Amino acid sequence: AWALLGSRLLVVRSVQVTGTRLVPASEVIAAADVPKGLPLLRVNTTTVASRVDRITQIQAAVVTRDWPDTLVIIVQERRAALAIPDAGRFYLVDPSGVVVQRVSKRPAGLPLYTPVGPAPGNPGIRAAADVMRSLPGGLARQVKSVTVPELDAVTLHLSSGITVNWGSAGGTAQKVRELSILMGTHARYYDVSAPGSAATSG
């Protein structure tokens, strides 16, 4: 007990942070608020992780002890799913509508989305993000913007000018097969929201 709680050898001398890209490691260490010299055994790793979780861009954090004198914080940052235009700039939001970053140029491959109502917790954002996550890479890269007139009617607007009523996030494999066949008709609108009953127009 003395060796773990009283020895000056088994105290926090350094804090290591991994997994950060958007958030500086210094910000994570400041949020963790673990004083140097604290016996490593006395560090409440759950409490430290909850402090780090309060950083907006961080989705989850895991804190572990690396004996004899290091605290390790493993961070999982939120990942942007959609870009919301705002006065010439873009808010990049995750599937829950949490703003991950504000940038001047929309990243390639991140579709535009204009939410109805506030972004945080917006069900339309989650529906759009769920569909985008389900798409194969080739199709996802063609999506310029997404609209959600209804939660089960997510609509994809491709860079070629084609509009696809995708519906909900389910049935992806069959929808992709049907869409690839229908696109041979060179129509401008495709409805694959009900697999087995796909339709085209325009």
Side-chain angles (χ1 to χ4, degrees):
W2 176 85
L4 292 175
L5 297 174
S7 172
R8 302 305 300 170
L9 298 176
L10 303 178
V11 299
V12 177
R13 297 188 186 280
S14 66
V15 179
Q16 294 181 358
V17 179
T18 64
T20 56
R21 184 176 57 87
L22 299 173
V23 182
S26 58
E27 183 177 347
V28 175
I29 292 172
D33 192 24
V34 177
K36 296 287 183 66
L38 180 70
L40 201 54
L41 191 64
R42 287 184 176 172
V43 176
N44 187 321
T45 56
T46 302
T47 299
V48 173
S50 68
R51 291 184 196 135
V52 175
D53 283 345
R54 296 190 191 116
I55 299 174
T56 302
Q57 293 90 346
I58 291 179
Q59 185 168 342
V62 175
V63 179
T64 61
R65 302 176 183 88
D66 186 8
W67 300 97
D69 58 8
T70 303
L71 196 69
V72 179
I73 303 175
I74 304 169
V75 166
Q76 179 185 350
E77 293 183 330
R78 296 180 184 274
R79 299 191 64 176
L82 302 164
I84 297 177
D86 177 71
R89 296 175 68 83
F90 301 91
Y91 287 107
L92 309 186
V93 299
D94 78 344
S96 299
V98 175
V99 176
V100 175
Q101 198 175 6
R102 190 167 187 250
V103 297
S104 58
K105 183 179 180 181
R106 176 172 66 95
L110 207 62
L112 291 170
Y113 179 78
T114 302
V116 177
N122 190 297
I125 289 178
R126 180 167 291 282
D130 286 347
V131 168
M132 287 300 303
R133 187 165 47 238
S134 75
L135 298 180
L139 179 57
R141 285 189 289 272
Q142 297 180 55
V143 179
K144 183 178 181 180
S145 64
V146 184
T147 55
V148 185
E150 297 178 13
L151 292 182
D152 59 353
V154 176
T155 303
L156 312 177
H157 305 275
L158 308 188
S159 55
S160 59
I162 291 173
T163 299
V164 181
N165 179 9
W166 191 263
S168 64
T172 299
Q174 187 173 351
K175 290 177 181 180
V176 169
R177 285 195 299 270
E178 293 182 2
L179 181 61
S180 64
I181 295 171
L182 290 174
M183 289 183 79
T185 65
H186 302 292
R188 306 300 292 173
Y189 176 84
Y190 302 95
D191 187 340
V192 294
S193 58
S197 304
T200 67
S201 65

